Amino acid sequence: MDKYYSYTDFLKAVGQSKKVDEAEKLLNEIYLDLFLNRIQRMHRQEQLIMLIDRALDEKDENAFYQYATELNSLQQTKDESY
C-alpha cells in the first residue's frame, strides 16, 4: 500500500493524454491510497492503545514497551508524512 507518487508522474500523465481521464485516474488512485493508509494507521493506533492498556493492567512491562515503541514509531511516521 505504500506507493510512491511524484508530481512528475502526475504531470507526465496529464501531458501524455489529450484527455483528462488518465490524470484523473492517477489522482484518484493517489487519493485512495492516502485514504486507505490513513485508515489503516488509525486502526493500528487504536489497537496499540488497547494493547498498551491491557499490558498495563496485566503489569506486563515487556509488552508495554513493545507496543509503546511501535505506537511512537507509527506517530513519528505520521508526523513526517504531513
Side-chain angles (χ1 to χ4, degrees):
M1 204 177 295
D2 291 336
K3 296 180 183 175
Y4 174 75
Y5 299 101
S6 72
Y7 184 67
T8 306
D9 292 337
F10 178 70
L11 289 178
K12 284 180 189 176
V14 171
Q16 290 176 354
S17 174
K18 294 181 181 177
K19 299 178 183 178
V20 183
D21 290 343
E22 291 299 317
E24 277 186 33
K25 286 179 186 176
L26 179 61
L27 195 56
N28 286 336
E29 186 178 331
I30 291 169
Y31 284 137
L32 181 61
D33 196 45
L34 289 171
F35 176 73
L36 292 174
N37 281 336
R38 179 170 170 81
I39 295 298
Q40 184 181 31
R41 187 174 45 247
M42 289 171 52
H43 179 69
R44 184 61 182 157
Q45 284 177 329
E46 290 172 6
Q47 282 181 328
L48 288 169
I49 290 169
M50 289 186 338
L51 290 169
I52 288 170
D53 287 343
R54 184 179 305 150
L56 288 171
D57 290 342
E58 296 173 357
K59 299 179 181 170
D60 186 349
E61 192 173 332
N62 291 330
F64 168 78
Y65 283 117
Q66 177 186 351
Y67 299 137
T69 301
E70 185 179 344
L71 180 61
N72 188 32
S73 175
L74 194 61
Q75 288 174 335
Q76 286 178 352
T77 303
K78 178 185 117 185
D79 293 341
E80 290 171 2
S81 66
Y82 290 120

